[in-house]
Amino acid sequence: MSYNFAYLDEQTKRMIRRAILKGVAIPGYQVPFASREMPMPYGWGTGGVQVSAACLTPDDVFKVIDQGADDTTNAVSIRRFFEKTAGVAVTEKTTEATVIQTRHRIPETPLSADQILVYQVPIPEPLRFLEPRETETRKMHGLEEYGLMHVKLYEDIARHGEIATAYAYPVKVEDRYVMDPSPIPKFDNPKLESPALQLFGAGREQRIYALPPYTKVFSLDFEDYPFDPSKAAHPCALCGAEDSYLDEVIVDDAGGRMFVCSDTDYCASRRETGEAA
Amino acid sequence: MYVAVKGGERAIDAAHEWLADERRGAPDVAELSISQIREQLSLAVNRVMAEGSLYDPDLAALAIKQARGDMIEAIFLIRAYRTTLPRFGVSAPIDTGAMRCDRRISATFKDLPGGQILGPTFDYTHRLLDFALMADGAVSPEVKEGGPTDAVPLPHVTEFLDREGLLQPEPEDNTPPRDLTREPLDFPADRPLKLQALARGDEGFVLSMAYSTQRGYARNHPFVGELRIGRVAVSMDIPELGFAIDLGEITVSECETVNQFTGSKTEPPQFTRGYGLVFGQSERKAISMALVDRALRWEELGEDNVGAPAQDAEFVLSHSDNVQATGFLEHIKLPHYVDFQSELELIRRLRAEAMMASTGPREAAE
């Protein structure tokens, strides 16, 4: 049995492309789209997969990362899916890829204008855990009524002395829509302002949104409590990088641990080129 | 020296091989055939067709076999297949009044034209394990009386109440219903959309929602006006021919509940209806669906919203789909190292601050 290029039929891809174009036209706005059942479960990247399917051309070079790594099982599964259904070239090198699908990370290597970064999004609505009803949150976005979010951030500071959101840190896009950048660590937030096109796909929740190149993206904060993209205060134990996001790895039964780059391509490239100290 | 964990690809391949081996089970036991599943596990097949939204007993049986009997996994397989199918057109609405019933019961009238037909039901069986079924080669007894009939169409029970004007008439509306599989779910949802979501909704979820209304969370006093199960023809207008032709026959379960309604500001006292329609013999689901449908109608009937879960269309419709639910639930098995790492750092920092704050004054007191 053979499937259409990149699995989805052309009508479906056209429907998704329309949603993407609308998203690009209104940065940060969540566009409803008729998400399809994919042959992988909801919650496992079906939104990203549909967006990638709608963007891929036969000449593209595709990269998939999950938690920054190309070799995590679900990244492998998605990469294989497109190798099989689209026959596109795949790579683990950030610089070689034209389309990168990601879950929970933005690559450390700066992206360029000829690249598309596709995010897998579990809950696209930044206000969801403040207001569970979609009918209400859509109204709040429409009226630019974001007081609830500011109150939440303020209460964090009152209780904990800082904003207690470490990932999926909310941003405001072009001074208009509050957007969930997907569960990337807040360390990655500054990288949301990028020359690359960034597309966000939430399959189960049936939403697509976008950040066109060079869109202004502001991480919410207060003047006296400015946004702080923190990370573990260590260098990478493998490549010595001081500027990359680190995973903590437990290395022995005594709970000994080490810190290594979560972006495996970044780490490997640094070691190859001898940048590792 | 730690080496970054590699081997996702090999692990996946090995897991798939192992899975295939487990699915087959002991090789000295004969392999299940699709026709065996279709014929002997037909209620499982029905559920997969209903929640998979695809009427194909053979494919549903295949899905059950491939899923090792995991119903939601089988439903998922069918859904993923269904979404790739081209659409030739839309059939005419089925006429359940013309159903050739295998089963037809009413809890509201002792007898009625056409009579009560019990049909092949578990009702009134004693739930005692039948060890005779464990013996290989057991042949089922021949059906002595009844059995599949080609009886004349039976009138809907609710028609009798309709004639007296006691039952709220359903408005005639030929607007094509919205299609959940081709449009994103949007609120407010109209009744056809709600019924569509309930028909594909998880049987357990819809059952629990219905049960909650019976226990007082938006009680709606339902009687099973009629439950009928049988075969109906599916026909489609063929433009080249200029008339409709029958494409085939499907089995459906239909339930109409008759609900007491003492009237509201906008509606006089009358009986109202809850409606359930499901592929195959799926009567638990059909009845559940009718109860939930009726609970969701509070707004249109001008009833009070008592804040019950079954009255909340956004809650019910957003959580009834088991393929969505299981996917999102199970995705938390995927690695979350990155989010967890950022939480770890946050908690350590907050703890350090809290410790400082609490040890400070204590030392001062000592």
Side-chain angles (χ1 to χ4, degrees), chain A residues 101-126:
Chain A
Q101 181 167 331
T102 181
R103 176 168 172 264
H104 296 191
R105 274 313 310 274
I106 300 176
E108 306 290 359
T109 310
L111 300 177
S112 61
D114 51 4
Q115 291 179 305
I116 300 176
L117 184 61
V118 178
Y119 294 77
Q120 302 171 202
V121 181
I123 303 274
E125 179 49 72

PDB file of all heavy atoms in Angstrom, chain A residues 101-126:
ATOM      1  N   GLN A 101      11.922  19.431  13.080  1.00  0.00           N
ATOM      2  CA  GLN A 101      10.793  19.258  14.000  1.00  0.00           C
ATOM      3  C   GLN A 101      11.353  19.040  15.395  1.00  0.00           C
ATOM      4  O   GLN A 101      12.286  18.257  15.592  1.00  0.00           O
ATOM      5  CB  GLN A 101       9.911  18.075  13.580  1.00  0.00           C
ATOM      6  CG  GLN A 101       8.722  17.919  14.530  1.00  0.00           C
ATOM      7  CD  GLN A 101       7.646  16.976  14.013  1.00  0.00           C
ATOM      8  OE1 GLN A 101       7.458  16.824  12.806  1.00  0.00           O
ATOM      9  NE2 GLN A 101       6.933  16.353  14.934  1.00  0.00           N
ATOM     10  N   THR A 102      10.777  19.732  16.363  1.00  0.00           N
ATOM     11  CA  THR A 102      11.338  19.659  17.708  1.00  0.00           C
ATOM     12  C   THR A 102      10.276  19.467  18.763  1.00  0.00           C
ATOM     13  O   THR A 102       9.129  19.882  18.596  1.00  0.00           O
ATOM     14  CB  THR A 102      12.155  20.921  18.040  1.00  0.00           C
ATOM     15  OG1 THR A 102      12.693  20.789  19.368  1.00  0.00           O
ATOM     16  CG2 THR A 102      11.277  22.170  18.020  1.00  0.00           C
ATOM     17  N   ARG A 103      10.690  18.837  19.837  1.00  0.00           N
ATOM     18  CA  ARG A 103       9.853  18.741  21.011  1.00  0.00           C
ATOM     19  C   ARG A 103      10.683  19.239  22.191  1.00  0.00           C
ATOM     20  O   ARG A 103      11.750  18.706  22.473  1.00  0.00           O
ATOM     21  CB  ARG A 103       9.417  17.287  21.215  1.00  0.00           C
ATOM     22  CG  ARG A 103       8.627  17.042  22.469  1.00  0.00           C
ATOM     23  CD  ARG A 103       7.960  15.667  22.483  1.00  0.00           C
ATOM     24  NE  ARG A 103       7.393  15.464  23.802  1.00  0.00           N
ATOM     25  CZ  ARG A 103       8.003  14.796  24.779  1.00  0.00           C
ATOM     26  NH1 ARG A 103       9.164  14.235  24.568  1.00  0.00           N
ATOM     27  NH2 ARG A 103       7.451  14.700  25.963  1.00  0.00           N
ATOM     28  N   HIS A 104      10.236  20.311  22.818  1.00  0.00           N
ATOM     29  CA  HIS A 104      10.788  20.817  24.088  1.00  0.00           C
ATOM     30  C   HIS A 104      12.140  21.519  24.005  1.00  0.00           C
ATOM     31  O   HIS A 104      12.716  21.834  25.039  1.00  0.00           O
ATOM     32  CB  HIS A 104      10.883  19.689  25.137  1.00  0.00           C
ATOM     33  CG  HIS A 104       9.554  19.122  25.526  1.00  0.00           C
ATOM     34  ND1 HIS A 104       9.405  18.271  26.586  1.00  0.00           N
ATOM     35  CD2 HIS A 104       8.332  19.288  25.017  1.00  0.00           C
ATOM     36  CE1 HIS A 104       8.133  17.923  26.707  1.00  0.00           C
ATOM     37  NE2 HIS A 104       7.465  18.537  25.751  1.00  0.00           N
ATOM     38  N   ARG A 105      12.690  21.767  22.838  1.00  0.00           N
ATOM     39  CA  ARG A 105      13.965  22.485  22.760  1.00  0.00           C
ATOM     40  C   ARG A 105      14.029  23.327  21.491  1.00  0.00           C
ATOM     41  O   ARG A 105      13.365  23.020  20.498  1.00  0.00           O
ATOM     42  CB  ARG A 105      15.168  21.511  22.694  1.00  0.00           C
ATOM     43  CG  ARG A 105      15.771  20.964  23.977  1.00  0.00           C
ATOM     44  CD  ARG A 105      16.049  21.958  25.089  1.00  0.00           C
ATOM     45  NE  ARG A 105      16.787  23.172  24.734  1.00  0.00           N
ATOM     46  CZ  ARG A 105      18.108  23.275  24.688  1.00  0.00           C
ATOM     47  NH1 ARG A 105      18.873  22.245  24.954  1.00  0.00           N
ATOM     48  NH2 ARG A 105      18.688  24.428  24.387  1.00  0.00           N
ATOM     49  N   ILE A 106      14.880  24.366  21.556  1.00  0.00           N
ATOM     50  CA  ILE A 106      15.302  25.080  20.352  1.00  0.00           C
ATOM     51  C   ILE A 106      16.793  24.784  20.205  1.00  0.00           C
ATOM     52  O   ILE A 106      17.526  24.885  21.189  1.00  0.00           O
ATOM     53  CB  ILE A 106      15.082  26.604  20.485  1.00  0.00           C
ATOM     54  CG1 ILE A 106      13.598  26.911  20.709  1.00  0.00           C
ATOM     55  CG2 ILE A 106      15.591  27.329  19.237  1.00  0.00           C
ATOM     56  CD1 ILE A 106      13.302  28.386  20.948  1.00  0.00           C
ATOM     57  N   PRO A 107      17.242  24.387  19.013  1.00  0.00           N
ATOM     58  CA  PRO A 107      18.665  24.053  18.872  1.00  0.00           C
ATOM     59  C   PRO A 107      19.558  25.201  19.339  1.00  0.00           C
ATOM     60  O   PRO A 107      19.208  26.376  19.205  1.00  0.00           O
ATOM     61  CB  PRO A 107      18.825  23.810  17.373  1.00  0.00           C
ATOM     62  CG  PRO A 107      17.472  23.411  16.908  1.00  0.00           C
ATOM     63  CD  PRO A 107      16.508  24.186  17.757  1.00  0.00           C
ATOM     64  N   GLU A 108      20.731  24.831  19.873  1.00  0.00           N
ATOM     65  CA  GLU A 108      21.676  25.855  20.345  1.00  0.00           C
ATOM     66  C   GLU A 108      22.274  26.629  19.164  1.00  0.00           C
ATOM     67  O   GLU A 108      22.451  27.840  19.234  1.00  0.00           O
ATOM     68  CB  GLU A 108      22.827  25.208  21.130  1.00  0.00           C
ATOM     69  CG  GLU A 108      22.410  24.315  22.293  1.00  0.00           C
ATOM     70  CD  GLU A 108      21.824  25.062  23.471  1.00  0.00           C
ATOM     71  OE1 GLU A 108      21.733  26.311  23.429  1.00  0.00           O
ATOM     72  OE2 GLU A 108      21.433  24.399  24.447  1.00  0.00           O
ATOM     73  N   THR A 109      22.574  25.916  18.075  1.00  0.00           N
ATOM     74  CA  THR A 109      23.144  26.563  16.900  1.00  0.00           C
ATOM     75  C   THR A 109      22.112  27.526  16.316  1.00  0.00           C
ATOM     76  O   THR A 109      20.991  27.111  16.031  1.00  0.00           O
ATOM     77  CB  THR A 109      23.492  25.504  15.830  1.00  0.00           C
ATOM     78  OG1 THR A 109      24.251  24.474  16.448  1.00  0.00           O
ATOM     79  CG2 THR A 109      24.258  26.108  14.673  1.00  0.00           C
ATOM     80  N   PRO A 110      22.483  28.811  16.147  1.00  0.00           N
ATOM     81  CA  PRO A 110      21.493  29.764  15.631  1.00  0.00           C
ATOM     82  C   PRO A 110      20.935  29.321  14.283  1.00  0.00           C
ATOM     83  O   PRO A 110      21.668  28.813  13.429  1.00  0.00           O
ATOM     84  CB  PRO A 110      22.293  31.060  15.493  1.00  0.00           C
ATOM     85  CG  PRO A 110      23.437  30.905  16.435  1.00  0.00           C
ATOM     86  CD  PRO A 110      23.768  29.438  16.453  1.00  0.00           C
ATOM     87  N   LEU A 111      19.633  29.513  14.109  1.00  0.00           N
ATOM     88  CA  LEU A 111      18.988  29.102  12.866  1.00  0.00           C
ATOM     89  C   LEU A 111      19.095  30.216  11.838  1.00  0.00           C
ATOM     90  O   LEU A 111      19.344  31.375  12.186  1.00  0.00           O
ATOM     91  CB  LEU A 111      17.521  28.759  13.127  1.00  0.00           C
ATOM     92  CG  LEU A 111      17.308  27.622  14.138  1.00  0.00           C
ATOM     93  CD1 LEU A 111      15.823  27.394  14.380  1.00  0.00           C
ATOM     94  CD2 LEU A 111      17.972  26.332  13.666  1.00  0.00           C
ATOM     95  N   SER A 112      18.881  29.864  10.576  1.00  0.00           N
ATOM     96  CA  SER A 112      19.011  30.857   9.512  1.00  0.00           C
ATOM     97  C   SER A 112      17.673  31.041   8.802  1.00  0.00           C
ATOM     98  O   SER A 112      16.715  30.304   9.043  1.00  0.00           O
ATOM     99  CB  SER A 112      20.082  30.418   8.514  1.00  0.00           C
ATOM    100  OG  SER A 112      19.692  29.193   7.933  1.00  0.00           O
ATOM    101  N   ALA A 113      17.642  32.024   7.899  1.00  0.00           N
ATOM    102  CA  ALA A 113      16.387  32.417   7.251  1.00  0.00           C
ATOM    103  C   ALA A 113      15.829  31.330   6.336  1.00  0.00           C
ATOM    104  O   ALA A 113      14.657  31.362   5.983  1.00  0.00           O
ATOM    105  CB  ALA A 113      16.598  33.714   6.466  1.00  0.00           C
ATOM    106  N   ASP A 114      16.676  30.373   5.933  1.00  0.00           N
ATOM    107  CA  ASP A 114      16.155  29.331   5.036  1.00  0.00           C
ATOM    108  C   ASP A 114      15.759  28.060   5.792  1.00  0.00           C
ATOM    109  O   ASP A 114      15.653  26.989   5.214  1.00  0.00           O
ATOM    110  CB  ASP A 114      17.174  29.021   3.929  1.00  0.00           C
ATOM    111  CG  ASP A 114      18.552  28.731   4.490  1.00  0.00           C
ATOM    112  OD1 ASP A 114      18.676  28.699   5.749  1.00  0.00           O
ATOM    113  OD2 ASP A 114      19.503  28.539   3.714  1.00  0.00           O
ATOM    114  N   GLN A 115      15.543  28.197   7.079  1.00  0.00           N
ATOM    115  CA  GLN A 115      15.136  27.034   7.869  1.00  0.00           C
ATOM    116  C   GLN A 115      13.751  27.243   8.471  1.00  0.00           C
ATOM    117  O   GLN A 115      13.340  28.375   8.736  1.00  0.00           O
ATOM    118  CB  GLN A 115      16.150  26.788   8.993  1.00  0.00           C
ATOM    119  CG  GLN A 115      17.504  26.306   8.471  1.00  0.00           C
ATOM    120  CD  GLN A 115      18.512  26.092   9.584  1.00  0.00           C
ATOM    121  OE1 GLN A 115      18.770  27.004  10.366  1.00  0.00           O
ATOM    122  NE2 GLN A 115      19.076  24.895   9.642  1.00  0.00           N
ATOM    123  N   ILE A 116      13.049  26.128   8.665  1.00  0.00           N
ATOM    124  CA  ILE A 116      11.752  26.161   9.356  1.00  0.00           C
ATOM    125  C   ILE A 116      11.873  25.297  10.604  1.00  0.00           C
ATOM    126  O   ILE A 116      12.357  24.160  10.530  1.00  0.00           O
ATOM    127  CB  ILE A 116      10.617  25.605   8.460  1.00  0.00           C
ATOM    128  CG1 ILE A 116      10.484  26.415   7.172  1.00  0.00           C
ATOM    129  CG2 ILE A 116       9.291  25.596   9.213  1.00  0.00           C
ATOM    130  CD1 ILE A 116       9.439  25.860   6.203  1.00  0.00           C
ATOM    131  N   LEU A 117      11.460  25.841  11.724  1.00  0.00           N
ATOM    132  CA  LEU A 117      11.461  25.073  12.966  1.00  0.00           C
ATOM    133  C   LEU A 117      10.009  24.761  13.320  1.00  0.00           C
ATOM    134  O   LEU A 117       9.183  25.668  13.453  1.00  0.00           O
ATOM    135  CB  LEU A 117      12.135  25.876  14.087  1.00  0.00           C
ATOM    136  CG  LEU A 117      12.294  25.177  15.437  1.00  0.00           C
ATOM    137  CD1 LEU A 117      13.149  23.918  15.320  1.00  0.00           C
ATOM    138  CD2 LEU A 117      12.924  26.129  16.466  1.00  0.00           C
ATOM    139  N   VAL A 118       9.694  23.476  13.427  1.00  0.00           N
ATOM    140  CA  VAL A 118       8.327  23.033  13.707  1.00  0.00           C
ATOM    141  C   VAL A 118       8.256  22.483  15.128  1.00  0.00           C
ATOM    142  O   VAL A 118       8.971  21.534  15.453  1.00  0.00           O
ATOM    143  CB  VAL A 118       7.897  21.938  12.703  1.00  0.00           C
ATOM    144  CG1 VAL A 118       6.491  21.449  13.026  1.00  0.00           C
ATOM    145  CG2 VAL A 118       7.962  22.452  11.272  1.00  0.00           C
ATOM    146  N   TYR A 119       7.415  23.086  15.934  1.00  0.00           N
ATOM    147  CA  TYR A 119       7.306  22.654  17.329  1.00  0.00           C
ATOM    148  C   TYR A 119       6.114  21.716  17.506  1.00  0.00           C
ATOM    149  O   TYR A 119       5.046  21.942  16.952  1.00  0.00           O
ATOM    150  CB  TYR A 119       7.045  23.854  18.250  1.00  0.00           C
ATOM    151  CG  TYR A 119       8.148  24.864  18.367  1.00  0.00           C
ATOM    152  CD1 TYR A 119       8.373  25.790  17.346  1.00  0.00           C
ATOM    153  CD2 TYR A 119       8.939  24.938  19.506  1.00  0.00           C
ATOM    154  CE1 TYR A 119       9.370  26.750  17.459  1.00  0.00           C
ATOM    155  CE2 TYR A 119       9.937  25.900  19.634  1.00  0.00           C
ATOM    156  CZ  TYR A 119      10.151  26.800  18.607  1.00  0.00           C
ATOM    157  OH  TYR A 119      11.121  27.754  18.720  1.00  0.00           O
ATOM    158  N   GLN A 120       6.299  20.712  18.344  1.00  0.00           N
ATOM    159  CA  GLN A 120       5.189  19.881  18.797  1.00  0.00           C
ATOM    160  C   GLN A 120       4.628  20.527  20.065  1.00  0.00           C
ATOM    161  O   GLN A 120       5.367  20.816  20.990  1.00  0.00           O
ATOM    162  CB  GLN A 120       5.668  18.474  19.138  1.00  0.00           C
ATOM    163  CG  GLN A 120       6.329  17.771  17.984  1.00  0.00           C
ATOM    164  CD  GLN A 120       7.004  16.466  18.369  1.00  0.00           C
ATOM    165  OE1 GLN A 120       7.891  16.019  17.666  1.00  0.00           O
ATOM    166  NE2 GLN A 120       6.598  15.864  19.472  1.00  0.00           N
ATOM    167  N   VAL A 121       3.327  20.749  20.064  1.00  0.00           N
ATOM    168  CA  VAL A 121       2.720  21.488  21.175  1.00  0.00           C
ATOM    169  C   VAL A 121       1.649  20.640  21.868  1.00  0.00           C
ATOM    170  O   VAL A 121       0.711  20.187  21.214  1.00  0.00           O
ATOM    171  CB  VAL A 121       2.065  22.789  20.654  1.00  0.00           C
ATOM    172  CG1 VAL A 121       1.463  23.576  21.808  1.00  0.00           C
ATOM    173  CG2 VAL A 121       3.068  23.634  19.895  1.00  0.00           C
ATOM    174  N   PRO A 122       1.782  20.420  23.165  1.00  0.00           N
ATOM    175  CA  PRO A 122       0.743  19.647  23.863  1.00  0.00           C
ATOM    176  C   PRO A 122      -0.508  20.474  24.180  1.00  0.00           C
ATOM    177  O   PRO A 122      -1.617  20.089  23.840  1.00  0.00           O
ATOM    178  CB  PRO A 122       1.435  19.175  25.133  1.00  0.00           C
ATOM    179  CG  PRO A 122       2.591  20.097  25.345  1.00  0.00           C
ATOM    180  CD  PRO A 122       2.950  20.668  24.002  1.00  0.00           C
ATOM    181  N   ILE A 123      -0.342  21.606  24.832  1.00  0.00           N
ATOM    182  CA  ILE A 123      -1.460  22.476  25.197  1.00  0.00           C
ATOM    183  C   ILE A 123      -1.129  23.865  24.657  1.00  0.00           C
ATOM    184  O   ILE A 123      -0.295  24.561  25.216  1.00  0.00           O
ATOM    185  CB  ILE A 123      -1.633  22.560  26.740  1.00  0.00           C
ATOM    186  CG1 ILE A 123      -1.832  21.176  27.354  1.00  0.00           C
ATOM    187  CG2 ILE A 123      -2.760  23.528  27.112  1.00  0.00           C
ATOM    188  CD1 ILE A 123      -3.240  20.659  27.380  1.00  0.00           C
ATOM    189  N   PRO A 124      -1.750  24.270  23.548  1.00  0.00           N
ATOM    190  CA  PRO A 124      -1.351  25.533  22.926  1.00  0.00           C
ATOM    191  C   PRO A 124      -1.820  26.770  23.692  1.00  0.00           C
ATOM    192  O   PRO A 124      -1.311  27.858  23.457  1.00  0.00           O
ATOM    193  CB  PRO A 124      -2.041  25.465  21.563  1.00  0.00           C
ATOM    194  CG  PRO A 124      -3.220  24.569  21.767  1.00  0.00           C
ATOM    195  CD  PRO A 124      -2.794  23.560  22.795  1.00  0.00           C
ATOM    196  N   GLU A 125      -2.782  26.587  24.567  1.00  0.00           N
ATOM    197  CA  GLU A 125      -3.414  27.740  25.210  1.00  0.00           C
ATOM    198  C   GLU A 125      -2.634  28.157  26.459  1.00  0.00           C
ATOM    199  O   GLU A 125      -2.649  27.445  27.462  1.00  0.00           O
ATOM    200  CB  GLU A 125      -4.864  27.362  25.583  1.00  0.00           C
ATOM    201  CG  GLU A 125      -5.626  28.462  26.279  1.00  0.00           C
ATOM    202  CD  GLU A 125      -5.518  29.787  25.566  1.00  0.00           C
ATOM    203  OE1 GLU A 125      -6.121  29.932  24.513  1.00  0.00           O
ATOM    204  OE2 GLU A 125      -4.804  30.693  26.074  1.00  0.00           O
ATOM    205  N   PRO A 126      -1.981  29.320  26.426  1.00  0.00           N
ATOM    206  CA  PRO A 126      -1.197  29.733  27.602  1.00  0.00           C
ATOM    207  C   PRO A 126      -2.074  30.010  28.828  1.00  0.00           C
ATOM    208  O   PRO A 126      -1.585  29.988  29.951  1.00  0.00           O
ATOM    209  CB  PRO A 126      -0.500  31.019  27.128  1.00  0.00           C
ATOM    210  CG  PRO A 126      -1.326  31.509  25.990  1.00  0.00           C
ATOM    211  CD  PRO A 126      -1.902  30.300  25.338  1.00  0.00           C
TER     212      PRO A 126
END
